[in-house]
Amino acid sequence: MKPARFDYACPDTLDEALALLAEEGPAARVMAGGQSLAAMLNMRLVEPRVVLDISRLHELAYITANDLYVEVGAAVTQRELLAWPALADKLPLIAQMLPHVGHTQTRARGTVCGSLAHADPSSELPLALALLNGEVVLQSRTGIRTLAARAFHTGLMTTAVEPFELIRAVRFPVLGDAAVTAFTEVSQRHGDFALTAVALTGDRRRIRIGVAGVEDRPKVLDLLWRDDASLQDEIQAKVSTMHGSDDIHASGAYRRDLVPHLAMRLIEEARDALSAR
Amino acid sequence: MRYLRADAAHPIAVTINGRPYAVQAEPRLLLTDLLREVIGLTGTHTGCEHGVCGACTVHIEGIPQRACLTYAVQVDGRSITTVEGLAPSAAPLTALQSAFREHHALQCGFCTPGLLMSLSHLVESEPDADEARVREVLSGHLCRCTGYQGIVDATMDVLAAQRRDGAT
Amino acid sequence: MRGLGQYADDLAVPRALTHAAFLRSPHAHAELRSVDATAAAAHPGIIAVLTGPELAAIGKPFITGVKTDAPHYPLAIDRVRYMGEPVAVVIATSRYVAEDALELIEVDYAPLPAVVTPGHAATDQSVVLHPGAGSNVLHERQFRYGDPEAEFAAAAHVVTVDTVYPRNACTPIECNVVQASFHPGEQLYDVVANFQGPYTLHTVMARSLGVPGNRLRLRTPPDSGGSFGVKQSVFPYVVAIGLAARLVGQPVKWVEDRLEHLSAATSATNRVTKLRGAFDVHGTLLALDYDQLEDCGAYLRAPEPATLYRMHGNMTGAYAVQNLAIHNRVVVTNKTPTGLNRGFGGPQVYFPLERLMDKAAATLGVDRVEIRRRNLVPADAMPYRTASGALLDSGDYAHSLECALGSERHASLLERQRERRAAGRLYGIGYAAVVEPSVSNMGYITTLMTPAERERAGPKNGALATATVNVDPAGSVTVHAASIPQGQGHKTVLAQVVADVLGIGPHDIVVLMDHDTGKDPWSIASGNYSSRFAAVVAGAAHRAALTIRARIAAIAAADLNVPPVELEFRDGFISSRHNPDNRVPLARTAAKAHWSPLAIPAAAGAGLRETATWTMPELTEPDAQDRVNSSGAHGFIFDLCGVEIDAVTGQAKVDRYITMHDAGTLLNPQLADGQVRGAFAQGLGAALLESFEYQADGSFASGTLADYLPPTACEVPDLEILHDPHPSPLTPLGAKGLGEGNCMSTPVCIANAVADALQTSVDTLPLNPARVHALMQAERGGADDDATPTAAPGSTPEDQLPAALHPAPETAAADDGHGMTGEGSTTIRAAPDAVWSCLNNPGQLRALLPGCKAFEQSSDGEYRAELSLGVGPVRGLFDCRFRFTPVVAGAQLRIDGGATGALGASSGTAIIRLDDVLQPDGASGTRLDYRYSVTLTGKVAAVGGRLLDGASRTLIGQMIKALASAAEPEREERGTWASRLGAGLRSRWSDSGDSES
């Protein structure tokens, strides 16, 4: 189980990286932490001509925050974001999720943006991106464009990133002080891909529920506060049209059927958190 | 920009267990194979080559990471610690290694080097870690022999001893 | 600990070493029409590409335990019978280069229908895997002990369970390793492999290599990265790599990778069992009747079908019942061959037996502990001869059970259950009583022969253990034994046993555990299996040490002028028991034995090296009534546990687990507990997480450690271990094996707890969240219609339906209704005839195929294309052939096709229906409905099982949408989906970075 041959490019500047991408296009694969890509390379599921390692690009190793959003550069590891002192304050949902992303040892190399690029249907960070209505900043030699979560994640392990682009950063919106967040997931072992993951953001007026693991990409449900029975019915109705994929671990129906129950657990948590304020 | 051709070996300068090495590697050479086959440090083991079992865990710049998901060319200029660097053969075992022995935390010993790398970092960087945290870090490793309890006990022992020593 | 271990892959290697990689079948069942290695052989760095016929020309097929015409070679010859079966081996300058060449080998496979479930294999309708054998049932025998028919006829209650034990394995973290060279002058194979025994297989390997046993020098390394029986599976590769080394004239090394290990090394057998128990009104067990259908995979690989017979003497478990009927059948299926796995044969027996006891308790309204208590073999009956011939050597099972329950332990568990249930939670308690056999009788496997056949073949019995103690001229002691330890601490125990006899410190003794069949003592029973170490190998070391002690005593007695019986060995001195000052150092006496052999008493013999070779006399061959003492020693285990289930998710969490062991004398309590903990974790994995999953077409879907799920530290709770030792009167040190017991008891104990929590029947494992959820749905009876009551929809339906011994339909790869299915519809802004002509126009067809590199129409309606297919970053070139069959001209089309490439193979069928619809704007349109069924096999199935369904949906969706856009030219102008898709598919996707494990 050894990878096929590839050229290895390790640019010193973002410009160099973009120039290489402009030249190589689809023959290149961008590697940030490599925690999924290297496994796929080792299994020869992916055989690019060039691996473009952006992990040493200092220009992309930043976390900045303003009142509206937190921007995480593409060279920032999950470990670094988890250790960012303002995380729990600015992005409580991400703080809740990150410990479930892989393991301590893979978070040390795995990047936040890389997880988004990999676009696994069960992953936590794409779920956060969708639920928070985040944006992904894409850059090519010709310019920068920003995509909303919905436009970014186009399908199973597929994103709208063009071959000559790379993800420069992700922006996670900062929720106001009135907001609450909650997260839960069902996985067979600690650190495994979730069978179903559900996250919540909400305030006194509305609730948003994000679901991963059921369909080929995260799905978001917008709700207004109502009594529990009505909420559960509404969620039930909304997920009943979801088309869950089967695999050796669970049926699509199982994954989907968990959603209303897990969502109600989070709603209860959110209600408690709101009433405690 | 460093651009390394696929079909050639390229010079790599890397510090391993405090000692500098100048070696040659093709871009696709895994760090596990660099350590084991090129340098001859066979303490780092290969158990899955897809990042799940944890047997290959080493410190890169002081942080536990998977050597099997890292290519040799990526550690150019970096500092690596392997299990051989925890207690060089002349030195006594570390407190964690001694606790492993005392608590029968290893049987076949194949997963042990990776475990020691993760846990040695944990006991240093998170002296207040509780059992749940120890198990969480451990969940990045698979051990088929021990059922993990001895490993948990050994680590908790070291943490407790550290706290005692710190308190006095 | 310091990274200085010497595991197989760590050893120094010879000059001119080459590296091997195997090309493996992506199909579960296919004819092997041709293997073209021209391009691979010409690749730089490739020394040779060897195929089945080339190895077969200088070797022989493997010997099997059952006489049948089902030859098994190290590389497939004309047919492949499981996904992952080796087809060719590349020998190259490095493993990397060898794997490069694998991608260049072209193989022409003609897929055959796969036989996946044992129930199907046992019917006449299944395709026969080995035509020479005439059937997929390679062995069948009935056994009868006592008068089971009469007891069943007279019984107040007959209770039946139907169980399906799944495939799993203990998957050591170190995979298989072989390094071989061939010395032409000596005609000798010199092999280093992390083989673990049994050494019966040395004979098998030597024969397949085409040499007498003395020309296969098999060495095992000092350290092993775990085995649990599994490393037995290295033996076919010892032969393959040995033959390859001979053909290329250079040493060859092969290191199995994890994908190879999971898909193609080995597993425990999966077994379908119908077990009936006859009970009287009080719950006394009167008779048992087993119908066992054993699935050994594609080949009956030695020592199979041993899994089925290892327990033969112990089929009545811990219970005193003398009436027993057994019907055994062994089938072959298109799955990986099975073999040794910790607990060998035990979990497959105790799963139905202990489920039966629970069900009987429920049926009779008796407490579950009480029904077990009532039927345990009583202490005063020891030694107890079971119905099928095992001699239960010692124990007080009832006492052990009571100790396990304790005064508080069981009561507190019950109280915990009451509290949780009162709070509306699902909490169950499980029990299991198990007899753990150890020290396998080398003759037990001959029980599969009729008495007449055995008579002709001659008796097989015993189990020789060997150990050697050497005292050198300086008086220092070296010990070795052919026990091939895998981390259990044999060195520690042997040092301790010998040190105690010779009165020296265990740390002064050097124990060498690497083994060399050319130089070290061994016999067929040697190796690390059937928990034989403590019971007999340590005993052999003890005997050798006693002999050495007697010889040293003879010398010292003369020197000290004291009778030998009055000598004490302590602290490195030999002294008079009555006058400790009258003493001599052990070293001086040892030196005398070496330096002055003429000056020592005759009783001291010559030299100070002793090899003890010993067998338990009780291990006699099966008798004329088919009774066999299949094992030499028998421990007892009683487990109880509490399991809580999440009522929403179905996740089962082991809250508390207590295991009571009677393993006789504990030679080293800490090491013993280590064994118990390890087996418990593996038993827990088998109960809740681990399963080798096969799709309906036989493709293997658990190829990574993210799909095959050994538990982590977060899933394994602490364990309460209790001991109630009753030493065996039959083993030298009173020890009985204990390393396998929890692999036998824990799966069913947890299953019993889950069944108790849900108040339902549990008939198969693993009890993963989805399966438990399905059980809860079934129990509620209100499952919504499409909530499939199975955990693994991709896997074979029969394995989820216990008792499904009925014929299953043949699972032809392209049949409708198998593998991944889907359907959908789309509306196209074009009339049906435009869409139809698009589908039937080769030029347009080519344009709508994703990533089409080459396209030809071979005959009317049949096409061949080279496509670059994939999802996200995963992408490969596939050679595709498909045929269009109009079902209703202009309206309905059937497409059958297949694709093969380096990532795997796929086949499927789609039905497309076109209907006229009016667009809202009045334009004509077509409603296109499609249904498809597709299977994917090979590497992509093994490692991407989690995403296969989604991936096939995505690909089908892409093609349908491409079709829509092709029939509907104006949409392309708008630059919508289709044009983007076209652009995307013509090139490879790229995205930025990646992460997550």
Side-chain angles (χ1 to χ4, degrees), chain C residues 10-27:
Chain C
D10 301 342
L11 303 177
V13 294
R15 283 178 189 280
L17 181 70
T18 65
H19 298 269
F22 286 91
L23 180 74
R24 294 174 181 277
S25 168
H27 295 282

Side-chain angles (χ1 to χ4, degrees), chain A residues 1-2 26 34-37 43-44 47 78 114-115 117 120 123 167 187 189-190 243 246 248 254 265, chain C residues 99-100 103 257 646 648-649 651 701 705 707 710 715 872 939 946 949 953 988 990-996:
Chain A
M1 199 174 142
K2 308 293 182 189
Q35 299 302 283
S36 295
L37 181 57
M43 293 180 196
R44 299 194 184 214
E47 299 191 6
Q78 296 148 10
S115 182
D120 188 281
S123 280
I167 298 181
S187 64
R189 298 179 303 185
H190 185 84
H243 204 123
D246 296 340
I248 59 167
Y254 167 81
R265 284 184 183 177
Chain C
E99 291 192 20
D100 292 343
E103 298 186 86
D257 69 34
D646 184 313
V648 166
T649 66
Q651 282 174 301
L705 288 174
D707 297 298
E715 288 78 49
K939 182 160 71 179
R946 203 171 64 76
D949 190 29
R953 276 177 212 283
R988 292 184 172 196
S990 172
D991 57 35
S992 135
D994 54 90
S995 88
E996 274 197 83

Side-chain angles (χ1 to χ4, degrees), chain A residues 265, chain C residues 413-429 642-648 650-655 753-759 772 776 780:
Chain A
R265 284 184 183 177
Chain C
L413 201 57
L414 289 169
E415 180 55 30
R416 212 170 163 82
Q417 181 179 41
R418 269 192 296 275
E419 283 170 16
R420 304 279 168 115
R421 284 188 171 171
R425 290 155 76 172
L426 297 170
Y427 193 97
I429 295 178
V643 172
E644 178 154 6
I645 290 167
D646 184 313
V648 166
Q651 282 174 301
K653 186 175 185 306
V654 177
D655 174 51
V754 170
D756 181 45
L758 302 180
Q759 294 294 304
V772 172
M776 293 191 295
R780 285 175 199 144

Side-chain angles (χ1 to χ4, degrees), chain B residues 59-138:
Chain B
H59 293 183
I60 304 175
E61 298 295 316
I63 304 197
Q65 301 176 34
R66 304 291 200 225
C68 79
L69 298 183
T70 306
Y71 297 98
V73 291
Q74 293 184 289
V75 298
D76 189 27
R78 303 283 198 228
S79 165
I80 291 175
T81 307
T82 67
V83 68
E84 288 94 339
L86 289 179
S89 54
L93 293 178
T94 64
L96 185 66
Q97 287 169 324
S98 300
F100 260 54
R101 176 159 291 170
E102 196 183 316
H103 288 277
H104 191 38
L106 69 156
Q107 288 182 28
C108 84
F110 196 79
C111 68
T112 312
L115 285 166
L116 287 170
M117 299 319 288
S118 281
L119 295 172
S120 62
H121 181 260
L122 177 78
V123 298
E124 266 176 39
S125 62
E126 299 179 44
D128 296 323
D130 60 5
E131 183 177 328
R133 175 65 184 147
V134 169
R135 285 187 183 267
E136 197 207 330
V137 169
L138 263 177

Side-chain angles (χ1 to χ4, degrees), chain A residues 1-5 21 25-26 28-38 40 42-48 54 78 101-103 106 110-118 120-124 126 154 156-159 161-163 165-167 186-195 216 243-258 261-262 265, chain C residues 43 95-101 103 257-260 646-651 688-689 691 693 695 701-702 704-712 714-715 768-771 773-774 777 784 786-788 790-795 820 823 871-876 903 939-940 943-954 980 987-997:
Chain A
M1 199 174 142
K2 308 293 182 189
R5 286 199 167 104
L21 274 179
R29 292 278 314 162
V30 175
M31 177 183 283
Q35 299 302 283
S36 295
L37 181 57
M40 293 198 293
N42 292 356
M43 293 180 196
R44 299 194 184 214
L45 292 173
V46 184
E47 299 191 6
I54 60 164
Q78 296 148 10
V101 178
H103 294 100
T106 59
T111 62
V112 177
C113 291
S115 182
L116 301 174
H118 186 58
D120 188 281
S122 300
S123 280
E124 294 85 1
T154 53
L156 180 77
M157 295 172 76
T158 309
T159 67
V161 182
E162 295 289 348
E165 286 180 314
L166 56 71
I167 298 181
V186 179
S187 64
Q188 299 195 74
R189 298 179 303 185
H190 185 84
D192 275 349
F193 284 109
L195 299 175
D216 63 354
H243 204 123
S245 288
D246 296 340
D247 72 9
I248 59 167
H249 302 296
S251 68
Y254 167 81
R255 293 158 186 272
R256 186 191 62 207
D257 291 350
L258 289 186
H261 302 284
L262 298 178
R265 284 184 183 177
Chain C
H43 191 70
R95 174 65 178 247
Y96 288 80
V97 172
E99 291 192 20
D100 292 343
E103 298 186 86
D257 69 34
R258 182 57 63 184
L259 266 51
E260 295 181 284
D646 184 313
V648 166
T649 66
Q651 282 174 301
L688 299 179
L689 293 160
S691 170
E693 291 291 336
Q695 314 278 336
S702 306
T704 72
L705 288 174
D707 297 298
Y708 187 81
L709 307 174
T712 78
C714 292
E715 288 78 49
N768 57 29
R771 176 166 280 128
H773 186 262
Q777 299 272 33
D784 57 271
D786 57 356
T788 331
T790 63
S795 70
M820 286 153 301
E823 59 189 11
V871 167
V874 180
R875 191 139 282 275
L903 290 180
K939 182 160 71 179
V940 73
V943 306
R946 203 171 64 76
L947 300 169
L948 274 194
D949 190 29
S952 49
R953 276 177 212 283
T954 303
R980 286 219 351 263
S987 54
R988 292 184 172 196
W989 267 298
S990 172
D991 57 35
S992 135
D994 54 90
S995 88
E996 274 197 83
S997 75

